[in-house]
Amino acid sequence: MRVPAARIVFSEGDRAQITAAATEILASGQLTLGAYTREFEDAFARAHGAPFAVAVNSGTAALEIILRSVAVAGADVVLPTNTFAATAFAVLRAGGRPVFADVSPDTLALSAATVEAALTKDTRAVVIVHIGGLIPEDIGEVEALCAERGLILVEDAAHAHGSTRAGRHAGSFGAAAAFSFYPTKVITSGEGGMILTADERIRDEALLYRDQGKAGFLGNVHIREGYAWRMSELHAITGLVHLRRLPEFLSNRARIAARYDAAIDDHAGVRRIQVPLGDVSNYYKYVVIPRPGVDRSSLRKELKERHGVGLAGEVYEAPLHQQPVFEEHAGGTLPVAEDICARHICLPVHSDMTDQEADHVLAALSAALRTLTLTG
Ligand SMILES: *Cc1c(COP(=O)(O)O)cnc(C)c1O
């Protein structure tokens, strides 16, 4: 049996629906910012209990628009060092200075303590990233710290479609949240992004920014330095059809994760990231941390070559403060993130994964760890 690192699931019925709508869109001539974009926005907002949604053409665009809307230019913005480079690029493009912070070893996300350690007199905003789809259990403390210090909390929810913490959805914790529909994410539109917010002003700013800062779709008065951040109708229908699968994807992914949990908990020398009882992770990633000394590239190779199991990409392989492009923003060492980035692996989770595939992954992991321990 082979289990690939990822599988993008569009059923035959979903493909047929998208194809039929695509034909209709092309015939209509309404190719961008039309009825399907509005329908996708409404459905995505409803799925997350959010008052407003604005669709854009990437998760990176969603982040940059939010950061421009809350005016981070010239200010410091705290973000975790273990995130996708796009989080920090969006800060830079919005004119802010990224300040990389360490994370909690329990959630791989910012905590009040790690944010506090990174604050400067120029900090204006904090971008929290729900790593692997887990909304950190202690996010309330981060919200409280931001409120107390007058900082704007922004969610990079690129991993977290459908996730909840204490009954609250991803997208409801910050002033605004950015989601991504890149193909590897739990819901995809091919390329795309979405802003969720309860703040009418941010919604209005986002509408301006995504379409070249124009005061109206049909007018030619530019009142913001916007960009070509619109979502096309073909992407919108793809995302809309995929979004209808979210409940089914969440329950399949949770079933696989529960199978992994039971086996990992029985395994000496391996720990996993725990999802608190009652909370929902979409398991964008299933994070496992082998004991120190297990060489990740050997483990990866062993799983692939001997067992046909592809590990999913890490979150993240190298922290941003150690990436060449961010050298001038590097700051000091961030020991927890450095350690976890170097050691962890992500077991494959697909939205249509079978129990047999999950069992094969677990058997392969046990065998590979045993082999590496004997030879290492
Ligand atoms: C995917 C991702 C983004 C960027 O989304 P795109 O749609 O690829 O632009 C931003 N932040 C995080 C954490 C991501 O995983």
Side-chain angles (χ1 to χ4, degrees), residues 262-347:
I264 298 293
D265 289 347
D266 273 349
H267 212 294
V270 186
R271 97 176 161 92
R272 64 182 170 93
I273 296 301
Q274 311 252 354
V275 178
L277 204 66
D279 288 0
V280 174
S281 170
N282 66 6
Y283 292 101
Y284 171 60
K285 299 286 176 173
Y286 187 96
V287 179
V288 169
I289 305 169
R291 60 165 177 74
V294 174
D295 179 66
R296 180 165 59 195
S297 53
S298 305
L299 179 58
R300 182 179 275 283
K301 192 159 175 277
E302 181 77 11
L303 285 168
K304 184 88 205 165
E305 290 175 4
R306 204 185 294 260
H307 303 281
V309 170
L311 289 176
E314 289 86 15
V315 282
Y316 282 81
E317 188 174 1
L320 296 186
H321 72 283
Q322 294 179 339
Q323 292 278 5
V325 69
F326 298 118
E327 200 178 349
E328 72 176 280
H329 304 284
T333 60
L334 299 169
V336 174
E338 285 169 26
D339 174 53
I340 287 172
C341 285
R343 284 200 290 134
H344 80 283
I345 58 171
C346 296
L347 301 184

Side-chain angles (χ1 to χ4, degrees), residues 110-157:
L110 295 177
S111 67
T114 68
V115 171
E116 184 132 38
L119 293 180
T120 67
K121 64 175 181 11
D122 296 322
T123 308
R124 176 158 171 83
V126 174
V127 182
I128 196 163
V129 184
H130 307 316
I131 288 290
L134 176 69
I135 302 172
E137 183 172 15
D138 53 359
I139 192 169
E141 292 167 30
V142 178
E143 288 182 284
L145 176 71
C146 289
E148 189 186 303
R149 305 290 173 89
L151 305 170
I152 297 151
L153 181 63
V154 171
E155 292 173 75
D156 180 340

